Amino acid sequence: MARGKLRIYLGAAPGVGKTYAMLSEAHRRVERGTDCVVAFVEHHGRPRTEVMLQGLEQVPRKEIEYRDTTFTEMDVDAVLQRSPAVALVDELPHTNVPGSRNAKRWQDVEELLAAGIDVVSTVNIQHLESLGDVVESITGVRQQETVPDEMVRRADQIELVDMSPQALRRRMAHGNIYKPDKVDAALSNYFRPGNLTALRELALLWVADRVDEYLKQYRSEHRVSKIWGSRERIVVGLTGGPEGRTLIRRAARLAEKGAGGEVLAVYIARSDGLTSASPKELAVQRTLVEDLGGTFHHVVGDDVPAALLDFARGVNATQIVLGVSRRKGWQYVFGPGVGATVARDSGPDLDVHLITHSEVGKGRGLPVARGARLGRVRIIWGWLTGIGGPALLTLLLTHVDADLGLTNDMLLFLTLTVGAALLGGLLPALASAAVGTLLLNWYFTPPVHRITIADPKNMLALAIFILVAASVASVVDLAARRTHQAARLRAESEILSFLAGNVLRGETSLESLLERVRETFAMDSVALLERESDIEPWTCAGRVGTGQAVDRPEEADVDMPVGDHMTLALSGRVLPAEDRRVLAAFAVQSAVVLDRQRLQSEADQVKELAEGNRIRTALLAAVSHDLRTPLAGIKAAVTSLRADDVEWSEADQAELLAGIEAGADRLDHLVGNLLDMSRLQTGTLAPLIREIDVDEVVPMALGGIPDPETSVVLDIPETLPMVAVDKGLLERSVANVVENAVKYSPADEPVVVKASAIADRVEVRVVDRGPGVPDEAKDRIFAPFQRYGDAPRGAGVGLGLAVARGFAEAMGGTLTAEDTPGGGLTMVLTLPAATGLPSDRPELPATTTT
């Protein structure tokens, strides 16, 4: 019996419409005459989903008694006995009630599939087992019901049911997902915009990976080698020459012309490690391609055109960008060149662009082979083996009464030649072959003790010995050199990979990078020197190590120039030539890190200056208008009271004095906010973090709110965990937020202040029913001297929310704005839960006596 097919509707969160889509598919199949039944579908009281169940055959559920309660689960036996063509099974990760046929519903589905029944099911992205930790870090909730990823990946068809976070929250606010009494809690916890956006991204990425898997599987099963241009992928072939930057920029422009274009720069290195590429130029090109949004790849291959085409077809590229050859005209006698070969062999499905550049026809240097450094001790042992070994062997053979024959004697001398090659390289081995030939001729070839050779066969044998010895020595020496070069290149690649990864991620400071150089090359000190021009003195941009300070490149044991006016100076020992390639890469990265640090410092300074200028301008505007308004009222009231020509009644005097008091309070509030903002801007705020109960601080923050009994509703559970905050700062922050909410909320709609615990934090939410704030202005309202719409409603200079957010962040919390379902604005103050800090709670005795 053929296995049934599994179709899964995947969603980012509950309520996106997975079950509705599954039931719609069932109706379409029934209309086409397919035998389709509902094995288990839970409508959760949603009217539209419940309506979709009408007209579909439903298999009766199985009732199970557990702990004096009756539960219903899918009756697997009944579905198997009914044996439909298609069965609908909702909520694939569901855990069955103890006593069921299987522990998990996906195991029930496996039985149906094994019986040849097609299954249509649903699952949310947060229930995939591999994403449990990621989902918990996003939502603060650990999913207990999960389904193995392999179960979902084996599905024959996966359809994503997508919905934007805003649309899903509107659906929730309209009561289409949960009952009205659960809507507010859901919107303020699991269904927050940030959570829904992150879960949606997870779902889209997971499905996109699955699509790529389907495509690769299909191409592999059908042996499709032809490139499918599903999107533009442009491969740039780099040689390490200066024309690479031009090629990368041209490829980036080509990618911009197509939607979703991707640039992949690739450098092909020969397997023997010999290359004419400039490490400095490759590092610059890597940075350029990554700045333009592309990726850099390093591929090893002896046949450069074939390796480039294999890479392009492997990544399903649609275009290749190459530079016109830098070779001179006479060099074309050695072959057509990489560009022409790639264009000829690319085929009709891969376009090749040959880009002209300023380096065309200027020639390129040939790679210089560098022998392996065997070390002085090994070379000495090689010469001793090559010269002294044959002499000792001759002494041994001439004093031992054993006639081994000329052939065996040659093999023994050949063994010494091989040993000399392994120890000291080619020259000791050739010397060993020459000495061995002379000794074999003199002592072991008739007539002995003479240079002449009587038998022509022996002459041929000695000639063959010389040839074999030289050939074996060359091969052994070449293998030793290649092994040494491979080990060295591997070590270099590890160093460069570690270096590039840290620098690209921004994890390496200049000092740590220089320290890495010092450790890698075993130096006493390393310094990065620079100067403004050729006539200016050198200055030190960074230095590490304990050796003597180097102020000029001439004083260093090794210096590596970086451009015209910067150099990396090392003291301690002289480096061999082969180490300078890695040192050049370190030098380039050091210059890059220094530039980044300076650019970041300049950007921070410019930002501080701009912010300071903006605040000063706003402060002048505030002083000229908002502070003068209460002063004018106070002066007018005082002038009226001091007037001699007017007789004021007691009621009038009380009213004027009340106006003076109100103006003074308003001035005090405005000046207090200005001082608080000044402390935040100058960084002089030092919070005293203690363990505090939220339900003790929030009521105290309402002291300055007019008529707090009717304008504010508190919902602060006493069971909340304590928070680690500064009590005074928290009180001021809550007071500013609530004051702002009361100011903009309608008179008949009180502001709601409620709190809840989520994972390791506590959220205080201030909900108003005012006009609300558009999404693009939600961050702007927290800037100093900002009032939404610049409406002068009530007193204030636009500092309340800025001070509240500054205090929240100083205590390790956050303050953000969200839309209130049904209209209005919700301020979310997130505070860290306490973890063993000193408490402000009074010490109570263990027992109380009354």
Side-chain angles (χ1 to χ4, degrees):
M1 179 181 298
R3 179 181 173 85
K5 295 183 178 180
L6 176 61
R7 177 172 182 171
I8 291 179
Y9 286 93
L10 178 68
V16 296
K18 303 180 301 299
T19 305
Y20 190 92
M22 178 179 67
L23 295 175
S24 299
E25 174 65 19
H27 280 285
R28 286 192 293 270
R29 297 197 182 197
V30 169
E31 291 174 359
R32 295 196 300 263
T34 304
D35 183 15
C36 181
V37 302
V38 177
F40 187 96
V41 170
E42 188 65 61
H43 57 75
H44 297 290
R46 300 167 188 169
R48 297 185 180 181
T49 305
E50 189 173 1
V51 170
M52 292 297 294
L53 285 170
Q54 297 177 8
L56 297 176
E57 179 184 348
Q58 301 186 40
V59 177
R61 301 184 183 182
K62 183 178 181 181
E63 295 185 352
I64 300 176
E65 294 286 339
Y66 181 69
R67 293 184 178 179
D68 300 328
T69 305
T70 302
F71 298 89
T72 60
E73 294 286 359
M74 180 175 67
D75 193 338
V76 180
D77 292 328
V79 177
L80 292 174
Q81 184 177 2
R82 172 64 176 77
S83 186
V86 180
L88 307 183
V89 182
D90 202 8
E91 299 178 356
L92 187 62
H94 172 73
T95 301
N96 294 329
V97 176
S100 301
R101 183 188 186 97
N102 295 301
K104 291 284 189 177
R105 185 165 293 164
W106 62 265
Q107 295 172 328
D108 297 338
V109 170
E110 282 282 7
E111 287 197 35
L112 300 182
L113 294 173
I117 301 175
D118 293 348
V119 176
V120 182
S121 188
T122 63
V123 65
N124 282 325
I125 191 67
Q126 66 265 27
H127 293 295
L128 294 182
E129 195 166 10
S130 65
L131 299 178
D133 294 336
V134 178
V135 172
E136 184 179 10
S137 66
I138 295 172
T139 64
V141 178
R142 183 71 181 186
Q143 297 295 330
Q144 301 300 324
E145 295 186 335
T146 59
V147 59
D149 288 47
E150 184 61 26
M151 176 67 184
V152 182
R153 288 187 180 276
R154 288 204 313 265
D156 299 275
Q157 185 175 353
I158 299 176
E159 183 172 334
L160 177 65
V161 183
D162 188 31
M163 178 175 288
S164 68
Q166 293 78 11
L168 183 57
R169 284 172 59 86
R170 284 196 299 269
R171 179 179 288 184
M172 172 70 73
H174 294 160
N176 295 332
I177 301 177
Y178 291 159
K179 295 181 180 180
D181 58 338
K182 297 182 179 180
V183 170
D184 287 340
L187 289 174
S188 61
N189 290 281
Y190 193 88
F191 284 81
R192 289 178 295 176
N195 290 359
L196 297 179
T197 302
L199 293 174
R200 186 189 188 197
E201 183 179 9
L202 279 179
L204 291 171
L205 291 175
W206 195 92
V207 174
D209 290 341
R210 184 59 176 155
V211 170
D212 284 342
E213 291 177 10
Y214 278 137
L215 181 59
K216 292 178 182 178
Q217 180 181 354
Y218 182 87
R219 287 169 56 89
S220 176
E221 291 176 353
H222 294 77
R223 298 182 180 180
V224 178
S225 58
K226 182 179 179 181
I227 293 176
W228 287 359
S230 54
R231 63 171 173 170
E232 292 294 337
R233 283 190 176 93
I234 302 175
V235 172
V236 186
L238 301 178
T239 63
E243 76 280 1
R245 306 182 200 181
T246 302
L247 303 183
I248 292 171
R249 293 189 181 97
R250 180 64 62 87
R253 290 198 297 270
L254 290 174
E256 291 175 356
K257 296 179 180 179
E262 183 180 358
V263 177
L264 300 91
V266 58
Y267 169 68
I268 310 292
R270 298 186 183 276
S271 59
D272 57 8
L274 304 178
T275 177
S276 60
S278 166
K280 173 183 176 181
E281 186 63 30
L282 280 178
V284 173
Q285 293 173 12
R286 175 195 288 267
T287 303
L288 175 61
V289 72
E290 290 174 348
D291 289 342
L292 294 175
T295 56
F296 185 90
H297 305 267
H298 192 111
V299 177
V300 177
D302 292 323
D303 188 345
V304 175
L308 182 60
L309 289 172
D310 289 342
F311 175 82
R313 293 192 174 99
V315 299
N316 201 26
T318 57
Q319 303 179 54
I320 295 180
V321 174
L322 297 173
V324 176
S325 177
R326 286 184 282 136
R327 296 193 297 177
K328 296 182 179 297
W330 62 267
Q331 292 178 315
Y332 282 97
V333 299
F334 299 106
V338 173
T341 305
V342 170
R344 182 192 64 202
D345 299 338
S346 61
D349 53 354
L350 190 57
D351 298 334
V352 179
H353 302 267
L354 292 179
I355 309 299
T356 59
H357 49 84
S358 59
E359 302 295 324
V360 174
K362 293 185 177 180
R364 54 184 301 174
L366 296 176
V368 180
R370 297 173 296 173
R373 287 177 53 86
L374 299 176
R376 180 178 299 179
V377 176
R378 284 191 60 178
I379 293 177
I380 292 175
W381 276 104
W383 283 104
L384 289 177
T385 303
I387 303 299
L392 293 176
L393 180 60
T394 300
L395 182 63
L396 177 64
L397 293 178
T398 53
H399 287 77
V400 174
D401 189 12
D403 187 8
L404 301 179
L406 182 60
T407 301
N408 292 327
D409 293 338
M410 288 184 177
L411 291 177
L412 291 174
F413 279 91
L414 184 61
T415 302
L416 292 175
T417 301
V418 174
L422 290 173
L423 289 173
L426 182 60
L427 293 180
L430 293 178
S432 176
V435 173
T437 301
L438 293 175
L439 292 177
L440 283 171
N441 184 11
W442 184 266
Y443 288 102
F444 303 104
T445 304
V448 296
H449 302 147
R450 291 185 183 181
I451 299 298
T452 59
I453 301 175
D455 190 349
K457 295 182 179 179
N458 292 337
M459 184 180 298
L460 178 63
L462 286 176
I464 293 175
F465 170 78
I466 294 175
L467 180 62
V468 171
S471 301
V472 170
S474 299
V475 171
V476 171
D477 176 68
L478 181 62
R481 289 175 184 274
R482 290 293 181 265
T483 301
H484 181 86
Q485 289 172 354
R488 180 177 186 82
L489 290 173
R490 182 179 60 193
E492 289 180 2
S493 65
E494 291 176 355
I495 293 173
L496 294 176
S497 175
F498 174 82
L499 171 67
N502 283 351
V503 172
L504 291 174
R505 290 190 297 269
E507 299 175 354
T508 304
S509 64
L510 180 61
E511 288 71 20
S512 60
L513 183 60
L514 295 181
E515 181 64 27
R516 177 77 177 181
V517 175
R518 192 186 68 81
E519 293 177 355
T520 301
F521 297 102
M523 289 293 181
D524 295 334
S525 65
V526 178
L528 185 63
L529 306 178
E530 63 176 348
R531 59 182 178 181
E532 296 294 333
S533 63
D534 294 337
I535 61 175
E536 295 292 331
W538 290 94
T539 59
C540 181
R543 177 184 286 117
V544 296
T546 57
Q548 183 179 1
V550 176
D551 298 324
R552 296 184 303 167
E554 296 80 6
E555 300 175 356
D557 295 315
V558 180
D559 70 286
M560 177 58 65
V562 188
D564 297 331
H565 303 123
M566 186 177 293
T567 185
L568 190 64
L570 295 81
S571 298
R573 65 186 181 92
V574 178
L575 286 181
E578 56 264 31
D579 286 343
R580 295 184 67 86
R581 179 172 64 176
V582 178
L583 181 60
F586 272 110
V588 172
Q589 296 288 23
S590 300
V592 171
V593 171
L594 180 61
D595 289 341
R596 286 184 179 178
Q597 288 184 352
R598 288 177 174 173
L599 289 174
Q600 184 63 45
S601 177
E602 292 175 1
D604 293 341
Q605 292 177 3
V606 170
K607 185 178 179 180
E608 291 178 1
L609 290 174
E611 183 69 14
N613 289 334
R614 191 186 66 81
I615 290 178
R616 279 192 292 270
T617 302
L619 179 59
L620 290 174
V623 171
S624 64
H625 180 269
D626 295 272
L627 294 182
R628 290 181 63 185
T629 301
L631 281 175
I634 293 174
K635 181 174 178 57
V638 171
T639 302
S640 298
L641 288 175
R642 295 187 62 185
D644 298 331
D645 56 344
V646 179
E647 187 70 26
W648 298 101
S649 64
E650 292 185 1
D652 292 335
Q653 291 180 0
E655 183 179 355
L656 290 173
L657 290 174
I660 294 173
E661 183 179 11
D665 292 339
R666 182 177 173 186
L667 275 177
D668 179 68
H669 180 74
L670 294 177
V671 173
N673 276 337
L674 286 172
L675 292 176
D676 290 337
M677 180 54 59
S678 175
R679 293 165 60 199
L680 290 171
Q681 294 290 336
T682 57
T684 58
L685 185 67
L688 179 61
I689 304 300
R690 311 282 289 182
E691 286 188 358
I692 305 294
D693 279 319
V694 176
D695 59 338
E696 294 180 2
V697 178
V698 173
M700 298 171 59
L702 306 182
I705 306 299
D707 195 14
E709 291 80 8
T710 59
S711 60
V712 181
V713 175
L714 293 181
D715 182 12
I716 312 294
E718 296 182 356
T719 58
L720 286 176
M722 302 181 75
V723 293
V725 296
D726 184 302
K727 184 176 182 180
L729 298 185
L730 177 59
E731 182 179 342
R732 288 292 305 278
S733 183
V734 173
N736 284 359
V737 173
V738 174
E739 179 185 355
N740 185 79
V742 171
K743 184 189 305 181
Y744 287 96
S745 189
D748 57 343
E749 291 283 352
V751 173
V752 178
V753 181
K754 54 186 178 181
S756 61
I758 301 176
D760 58 347
R761 58 190 186 274
V762 174
E763 284 190 353
V764 179
R765 307 178 73 87
V766 181
V767 183
D768 68 62
R769 297 292 178 178
V773 176
D775 292 338
E776 62 271 13
K778 283 187 172 61
D779 284 335
R780 196 164 62 245
I781 62 176
F782 292 102
F785 305 103
Q786 291 289 327
R787 290 174 295 185
Y788 175 61
D790 290 334
R793 181 180 178 182
V797 294
L799 284 176
L801 294 182
V803 171
R805 170 175 274 190
F807 284 172
E809 292 176 349
M811 296 182 293
T814 60
L815 179 62
T816 57
E818 297 180 359
D819 291 330
T820 301
L825 191 68
T826 298
M827 291 290 179
V828 183
L829 176 62
T830 304
L831 304 170
T835 55
L837 293 173
S839 174
D840 272 1
R841 283 182 176 173
E843 296 288 341
L844 298 178
T847 59
T848 303
T849 304
T850 60

